[in-house]
């Protein structure tokens, strides 16, 4: 099944409101797409005063998976994050190895 990995930078000064915005967004997405698994991973870079954030999306039981429609829904909801993102938001899609 297809999974999404979306990464971007957030300034330390924006971390708290950005975390709230991502939490609300992922809650809305899970409500709209039952079975969607959404996570937020954070790596601190103190020297730059920012953090690298990665949202991950995968299909859980009962989910339709991360198809093009789901990806478009994620991107639509992500517009709320624009004020907190430093630079570009990068989207990568991978297919899970069927042998595992």
């Amino acid at each position: 099944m297809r999974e999404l990995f979306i990464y971007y930078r957030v300034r330390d000064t924006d971390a708290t409101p950005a975390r709230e915005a991502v939490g609300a967004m992922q809650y809305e997405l899970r409500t709209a797409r039952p079975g969607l698994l959404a996570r937020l991973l954070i790596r601190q870079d103190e020297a730059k005063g920012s953090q690298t954030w990665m949202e991950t999306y995968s299909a859980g039981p009962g989910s339709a998976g991360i198809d093009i429609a789901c990806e478009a829904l994620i991107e639509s909801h992500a517009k709320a994050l624009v004020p907190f993102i430093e630079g570009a938001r990068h989207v990568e899609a991978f297919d899970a190895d069927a042998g595992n």
Side-chain angles (χ1 to χ4, degrees):
M1 280 207 151
R2 188 168 180 262
E3 298 183 22
L4 288 184
F5 300 86
I6 303 168
Y7 61 96
Y8 47 90
R9 298 193 68 74
V10 173
R11 290 173 296 281
D12 287 343
T13 56
D14 291 332
T16 298
R19 188 175 285 111
E20 292 170 0
V22 171
M25 177 188 77
Q26 289 184 334
Y27 175 80
E28 291 171 6
L29 290 167
R30 286 190 300 267
T31 300
R33 297 282 295 222
L36 178 68
L37 301 176
R39 294 179 28 184
L40 175 63
L41 307 172
I42 300 173
R43 180 181 67 208
Q44 182 68 46
D45 186 351
E46 293 177 16
K48 293 184 178 181
S50 63
Q51 305 166 12
T52 301
W53 287 23
M54 180 177 289
E55 299 167 32
T56 67
Y57 297 94
S58 60
S63 173
I66 311 302
D67 55 15
I68 299 301
C70 183
E71 185 173 348
L73 183 66
I74 291 167
E75 288 305 306
S76 173
H77 279 74
K79 291 177 182 170
L81 307 179
V82 169
F84 310 112
I85 295 175
E86 184 176 76
R89 191 167 184 271
H90 307 276
V91 179
E92 302 283 343
F94 289 84
D95 292 316
D97 182 0
N100 289 323

